Amino acid sequence: MKRETFGKTSRKNRSCSGLTLILITLCFALSTFAQGATSITGTVGDEQGAKVAGAEIRLRSRQGREQLTRSDANGAFAFHDLQAGDYFLEVKARGFSDFTSPLVRLATGKTETLDLRLRVAVINESVVITATGTPQRPVEVAKVISILDAQHIEDGHQLDLGDTLRGVPGLRVQQQGSPGALTTFRLRGQRTSDTALLFDGLRVRDASDINGSALSLFSDLIPLAVDRVEILRGSGSSIYGSNAIGGVINLVTASNDNGTHFLVGAEGGNLATFRERLQASGGTGIVGYNLALNRVDVRHGVDGQDEYGSSAGSGRIQIDASPSLTIVANVYGTIGNARINDSPFALPAAFGSTQSFPNAVAGETFQPDFNNPDQGRRNRLLVGSGRLMHTLTDRISYSVAYQRVSTNRRNYNGAKIDPRFASFYAFGDFEFFSVNRGVTDTLDARLNLSLPRSNFATIGFEAENESLFQQSIPSFSFFNNTTDRQRTLGIFGQDQLTFFRDRLQVTIAARGQSYRIRAADRPGFLRDINVKSSFTGDGAVAYFIRSTSTKLRAHAGNGFRAPSLFERFGAGSFPGAGFVRFGDPTIKAEQSLSLDGGIDQRLARDRVLAGFTYFYTRLQRTIAFTGFAIDPLGVGRFSGYGNQPGGLSRGLETFVEAAPLRGTAIGASYTYTNSDRLLAAGGLRPEYVIPRHSFNFNLTQRYGPVVVNFDVNTNSSYIAPVFEISFPFRMELSFAGYTKADLFGSFEKRFSERTIATFFAGAGNILDRTYYENGFRAPGITARGGVTFKF
C-alpha cells in the first residue's frame, strides 16, 4: 500500500513538474513574442486626403491566412501580433472602387505604417486566389480569371449560382426549363464534366454522377455568405486535380467581422416564387463565425406544375489560435425537390428534312418538354471541411485540410400521365425508382516555401477515397444494390518566380495522379493489369509594362479527368457472358492540352480595362461509351466504356470594363467559340449546346441610395440532340439564338449606422422572349420584389 501511495505521489509530482515546465515555456514564448511584436497600421483616405471611416480592410498573407477589420472614425486601422511574412491589403468602402495594396514584406518586430488612398472612378482591383491557389495582385496573374464579388452578386438579385454566373466570358450557362431544372456549366466550349467546382479551393463533385463531375449539384447551388466567386478559364489540373480541363469555379467564403451582424430577407414574384433568407456573422478577434440559410419555393413553374423547393445552408467558424495558427471549419448543404417534365422529342418533319441540322421549330420539328405529374428528383448535398494553417517562420508555412462530400440522389416516376399527352404513350408510362449515393473523402496537405525574394514554392499531396452505391427498381441486372470504390493519390508542386522588380511573373507546376482499385473488383485476368496514372504540367507567364499599363500573358497546360466509378464499374447484360460490368476498371483518365494567350490594357488613368484572349483546347484522350469491333477486355461484351481521341475547341474572348463616373460600372464581353467533338467513326462535328457567338453586357449605376443593375446576355444558334419518342433515334436540331435581359433596381433606407433596409424590384427576361434550351421551354418575363434588413 505504501509503495502504491508513493507511486501516486511520484506521478503527481511528475505531472506538476511537467505543468510547471509548460507554463514556464509558454511565458517565455509570450515574452519573446511581445518583445518582437509585428504589426501593420495605417489610415484609409480618399484622393483629396479626407479620411474614410468604416472601410473594410482585409489582410491576406501569401500563405492563405486572412484577417478582417474596419477603419475607425479617423480612418485608422491596425493589425497587431502578426507573423513576419508577405501580405496584401484589400480595401472596400461604399462609394469607392476596390483597392489592393502592393505586397507588404513584414519583418519580425517591425511595424509597417501605410497610407491607403481610395479612388472613386477606377476599375476595381481585387486579390486573385484561384490562379495559383495563393493570393496575387491582378497585375501578377498570368491566367484568365473573372471575379464576381459579394456586392455584385447582391446587386444582381439572382436566385441561384447559374443565373449569377450567366454573362461570364467564355462560360455557357444553360438551364433546361423552370428553376430547379437541369443546369449545366461549360467553359471554353468544353463539356460540363470538364468544369471543376471548388469550395475554398477544395474540389467538390458527386461520386455518383455518371462522369464523376459536379453536374448533378449545379441546379441547387446558392452562393451563400461568399466573399466572391472566381472563375478560372483554362486548365487547372496541376493544382486542382480532376475535371479542371475547361477551368474551375471557386466559391470563396466570407471571413468574419468583429461584432454581431444579421441579415433577414424575403421576396416573391412570378411563377409563384418565394424566397426567404437569414444570415448571421460576428467575431471576437479570436473566434469568428458566419451562418446563412436560404429557402426557395417555385410553386408553379413554366407549365404551372413544375414545382421546385430548395433549402440551403452554410456555416463557417474561424479560430485564430495564435498569430501563426488558424483553424477554419466549413459546412455547406442543399436539399432540392423538383418535378421533372418529360423530355422533348423529334417529330416526323425533322427526320424528313434534307438539312444536316434542321431548324428547331416547336410543334413542327420537335415537341417541347411537357408535364409529367408524378416524375421528379430529390437531391441532397452535404459538404464539410476543416483546414489548419500554420506559419512556422516568415519563409515556411503549411496547411492541412480534410473534406467530405456526401450526395444522395433519388429519381422517380409513376404510372400517371398528363391526359393532354397520353396519346404519346401507347403502352403507358414507365415506372421506376433509382437511388445513387456518393461519398468522397479528401485529404489535402501543402507546404509553402518563400525562398529568395522572387521565389514562392508550393509542394503538396492529395489523397481521395470515393464510393458509389446504386439501387434501381426495377433492376435489369444482377448488379444492383452495389457499392464500388476507388482511391487516388496526387502529388503536385508549383513554383512562382518573380523577376525585374515584379514586372515578370513565371509560374510552373506539375502533378502526378495514381489510382488504386481493389483486385476483387477486376474480373478475370484484369486483376493483374495495373491502372494507369495521370501526369500533368502547367506553365504561365505574365509581363507588366508599367509605362503603358499593359500586361502580356500566356498559359499552357494539361488537364485531366479521373474515370468515374460508373465508368469503371457500370453493369449490364451481354450475350455470351451473362450479366457483366460494361465499365472498364483499368480505363485510362481523360487527358487534354490547353493553350491561351492575350493582352490586358489599362486606359484613361485606370478607368478602362480592356483585353482579349485566344484559347485552344484539344482533348487528347476521352472516355466514351461505344461499340467495339474487338472486345478489348475479353469478357464477351459488345459495347462499353473505352478510351478514344476527343475533339477540340478554339476561340477568342474579349472584354471591356469601365468606370467613367462615380457610381457607374460598365462591363461588356464578346466570345467566339468554335468547338467540335470527334465521332467514333472519324471526323469532327459541332459540339452540342455551344453557340459560336455570345455577347454579354452589364451596367450597374449607383446614385445615393439607389442602385440599378441591367444585364443582357445574347447567344447565337447552337446544335442539340433531340430523341425520337418510340425508338432510340437521335435528331440533331439547330436551336435559334436568343437574348435574355434582366433589370433590377433597389433603394436603401438607413435608420442608423447599423440598421439598413433595402427594397428591390425587377424582372428577368424583361423582353419576354420565348426560347428553348435543348427543347425545354425557358421562363418568360419573371418579376420579383422584396426587402432585406441588415442590423
Side-chain angles (χ1 to χ4, degrees):
M1 180 67 66
K2 289 183 179 180
R3 284 193 299 270
E4 183 178 351
T5 302
F6 176 79
K8 289 183 179 180
T9 303
S10 300
R11 286 193 295 272
K12 181 177 181 181
N13 289 337
R14 287 197 298 271
S15 299
C16 291
S17 300
L19 180 60
T20 302
L21 180 60
I22 292 173
L23 291 174
I24 292 173
T25 303
L26 180 61
C27 291
F28 176 77
L30 292 174
S31 174
T32 303
F33 179 77
Q35 294 173 4
T38 304
S39 304
I40 295 178
T41 63
T43 57
V44 179
D46 62 16
E47 294 177 274
Q48 284 70 45
K51 304 307 179 185
V52 177
E56 177 184 289
I57 304 103
R58 194 181 306 270
L59 181 70
R60 299 182 185 272
S61 73
R62 286 292 297 270
Q63 291 79 15
R65 300 183 65 211
E66 63 179 80
Q67 297 183 39
L68 179 66
T69 189
R70 294 182 184 273
S71 59
D72 62 19
N74 298 315
F77 69 92
F79 294 98
H80 295 299
D81 300 334
L82 299 176
Q83 188 84 0
D86 296 339
Y87 294 89
F88 296 103
L89 282 87
E90 191 177 38
V91 186
K92 298 181 180 182
R94 182 179 176 82
F96 296 91
S97 298
D98 298 348
F99 168 80
T100 297
S101 73
L103 185 68
V104 178
R105 300 185 184 276
L106 195 59
T108 302
K110 301 296 184 179
T111 296
E112 291 286 341
T113 302
L114 306 176
D115 182 17
L116 306 179
R117 297 296 180 93
L118 303 183
R119 299 169 65 183
V120 173
V122 295
I123 298 299
N124 286 333
E125 186 169 284
S126 301
V127 168
V128 178
I129 301 172
T130 310
T132 61
T134 59
Q136 292 179 292
R137 294 183 65 207
V139 295
E140 301 173 349
V141 178
K143 299 180 182 179
V144 185
I145 295 280
S146 294
I147 299 178
L148 306 178
D149 62 18
Q151 189 60 58
H152 177 91
I153 295 172
E154 188 69 21
D155 291 340
H157 299 287
Q158 303 295 352
L159 291 175
D160 54 35
L161 181 63
D163 280 338
T164 299
L165 296 179
R166 197 184 300 272
V168 171
L171 174 61
R172 168 73 157 119
V173 177
Q174 187 183 57
Q175 180 179 285
Q176 296 184 2
S178 296
L182 179 68
T183 301
T184 59
F185 300 155
R186 298 167 181 261
L187 281 162
R188 288 189 169 173
Q190 299 301 309
R191 306 156 301 175
T192 298
S193 58
D194 297 328
T195 299
L197 175 69
L198 312 176
F199 284 5
D200 285 330
L202 296 175
R203 188 177 56 257
V204 174
R205 60 192 181 102
D206 181 5
S208 70
D209 175 64
I210 191 171
N211 299 123
S213 71
L215 170 62
S216 64
L217 313 178
F218 291 150
S219 301
D220 300 322
L221 289 180
I222 308 291
L224 288 177
V226 297
D227 175 64
R228 68 188 68 197
V229 179
E230 295 190 359
I231 303 95
L232 165 67
R233 303 194 294 281
S235 61
S237 289
S238 293
I239 293 297
Y240 298 114
S242 180
N243 299 87
I245 290 176
V248 304
I249 298 172
N250 187 17
L251 279 67
V252 182
T253 56
S255 56
N256 56 282
D257 194 1
N258 290 334
T260 303
H261 310 273
F262 294 95
L263 180 149
V264 179
E267 61 189 80
N270 287 50
L271 308 181
T273 300
F274 302 93
R275 181 191 188 192
E276 305 84 33
R277 55 181 178 148
L278 172 66
Q279 290 183 204
S281 63
T284 63
I286 297 177
V287 178
Y289 66 89
N290 269 309
L291 301 172
L293 297 172
N294 188 92
R295 174 68 187 180
V296 174
D297 287 284
V298 181
R299 298 177 183 175
H300 288 170
V302 172
D303 63 19
Q305 294 186 345
D306 296 340
E307 298 94 338
Y308 172 62
S310 172
S311 298
S314 70
R316 182 182 193 271
I317 184 169
Q318 175 174 322
I319 302 174
D320 293 317
S322 74
S324 62
L325 180 64
T326 296
I327 301 171
V328 179
N330 284 291
V331 63
Y332 181 93
T334 63
I335 298 176
N337 292 275
R339 293 291 187 186
I340 300 176
N341 283 353
D342 277 352
S343 298
F345 58 86
L347 296 175
F351 293 95
S353 174
T354 58
Q355 296 177 291
S356 299
F357 307 108
N359 292 330
V361 180
E364 182 177 330
T365 57
F366 79 99
Q367 166 62 47
D369 62 311
F370 52 90
N371 182 60
N372 188 321
D374 55 4
Q375 181 175 235
R377 69 165 178 88
R378 177 182 175 87
N379 290 4
R380 189 205 69 191
L381 165 69
L382 182 61
V383 182
S385 67
R387 188 192 302 266
L388 181 147
M389 293 174 285
H390 190 195
T391 303
L392 299 177
T393 70
D394 61 340
R395 295 187 179 273
I396 304 175
S397 67
Y398 69 89
S399 67
V400 179
Y402 167 76
Q403 177 180 266
R404 163 163 280 205
V405 179
S406 173
T407 60
N408 189 332
R409 295 188 290 113
R410 300 186 180 190
N411 293 276
Y412 57 88
N413 187 31
K416 295 180 181 180
I417 300 175
D418 190 315
R420 295 171 295 175
F421 305 100
S423 60
F424 295 131
Y425 295 88
F427 303 98
D429 204 0
F430 178 73
E431 298 184 54
F432 70 86
F433 176 82
S434 67
V435 175
N436 293 271
R437 299 191 191 114
V439 176
T440 304
D441 294 291
T442 305
L443 178 65
D444 183 287
R446 307 186 183 201
L447 176 66
N448 297 313
L449 303 173
S450 294
L451 302 175
R453 288 173 57 91
S454 60
N455 196 337
F456 187 82
T458 300
I459 304 170
F461 80 89
E462 175 191 83
E464 193 169 77
N465 187 18
E466 57 182 317
S467 65
L468 161 64
F469 170 81
Q470 299 179 87
Q471 179 187 57
S472 181
I473 302 173
S475 174
F476 299 99
S477 170
F478 292 151
F479 292 100
N480 197 23
N481 298 316
T482 60
T483 300
D484 297 303
R485 299 179 178 85
Q486 74 171 328
R487 287 181 288 174
T488 65
L489 176 64
I491 299 176
F492 57 90
Q494 176 181 262
D495 200 4
Q496 301 174 56
L497 304 167
T498 304
F499 305 99
F500 305 125
R501 297 183 179 180
D502 297 340
R503 293 194 303 272
L504 177 63
Q505 310 286 333
V506 178
T507 302
I508 54 175
R511 184 187 189 98
Q513 188 92 1
S514 63
Y515 310 94
R516 184 172 181 181
I517 309 297
R518 296 184 307 172
D521 290 326
R522 305 183 196 179
F525 70 93
L526 295 176
R527 297 177 183 222
D528 299 324
I529 298 178
N530 294 323
V531 180
K532 298 296 183 181
S533 300
S534 300
F535 297 95
T536 59
D538 196 275
V541 59
Y543 186 80
F544 186 68
I545 306 172
R546 291 195 178 97
S547 60
T548 60
S549 296
T550 304
K551 181 170 72 173
L552 310 176
R553 48 180 168 73
H555 169 224
N558 299 119
F560 77 92
R561 182 180 72 83
S564 70
L565 285 165
F566 190 82
E567 290 164 337
R568 289 196 188 278
F569 303 115
S573 176
F574 300 94
F579 290 98
V580 299
R581 298 187 185 275
F582 54 72
D584 180 354
T586 64
I587 200 168
K588 295 179 181 178
E590 294 189 332
Q591 188 92 8
S592 71
L593 174 65
S594 176
L595 307 169
D596 65 62
I599 298 175
D600 296 336
Q601 179 65 59
R602 292 176 177 266
L603 302 166
R605 297 185 63 224
D606 290 338
R607 294 187 179 209
V608 177
L609 174 63
F612 74 88
T613 303
Y614 172 80
F615 64 87
Y616 173 93
T617 301
R618 175 176 287 277
L619 297 175
Q620 300 166 302
R621 183 175 61 239
T622 63
I623 299 172
F625 190 91
T626 60
F628 298 98
I630 299 175
D631 178 15
L633 294 181
V635 292
R637 65 180 194 167
F638 63 90
S639 64
Y641 283 104
N643 290 123
Q644 67 178 40
L648 70 156
S649 67
R650 54 280 194 208
L652 183 68
E653 298 165 347
T654 65
F655 74 92
V656 176
E657 298 177 9
L661 302 170
R662 178 169 188 160
T664 303
I666 300 174
S669 66
Y670 165 76
T671 303
Y672 170 78
T673 307
N674 184 5
S675 182
D676 296 306
R677 69 189 193 282
L678 181 66
L679 299 182
L684 295 173
R685 297 272 283 186
E687 180 61 83
Y688 293 138
V689 186
I690 303 300
R692 285 287 181 97
H693 309 278
S694 63
F695 172 78
N696 306 293
F697 175 82
N698 172 260
L699 168 65
T700 301
Q701 179 63 60
R702 301 176 184 276
Y703 186 78
V706 177
V707 179
V708 177
N709 189 82
F710 179 55
D711 284 292
V712 179
N713 309 123
T714 299
N715 293 314
S716 64
S717 62
Y718 61 91
I719 307 300
V722 179
F723 292 84
E724 206 275 336
I725 191 169
S726 301
F727 301 96
F729 295 148
R730 178 180 63 196
M731 174 55 64
E732 297 174 344
L733 300 180
S734 177
F735 285 87
Y738 61 88
T739 296
K740 183 177 185 291
D742 303 338
L743 177 64
F744 283 91
S746 63
F747 174 78
E748 186 178 276
K749 174 65 176 177
R750 287 182 172 266
F751 299 99
S752 67
E753 187 63 31
R754 286 179 54 93
T755 305
I756 305 170
T758 302
F759 304 88
F760 80 92
N765 194 10
I766 60 173
L767 302 178
D768 200 20
R769 295 293 175 83
T770 298
Y771 64 96
Y772 299 87
E773 291 283 22
N774 294 13
F776 293 82
R777 182 171 177 176
I781 184 170
T782 51
R784 285 186 289 116
V787 60
T788 60
F789 292 94
K790 297 180 182 180
F791 53 95

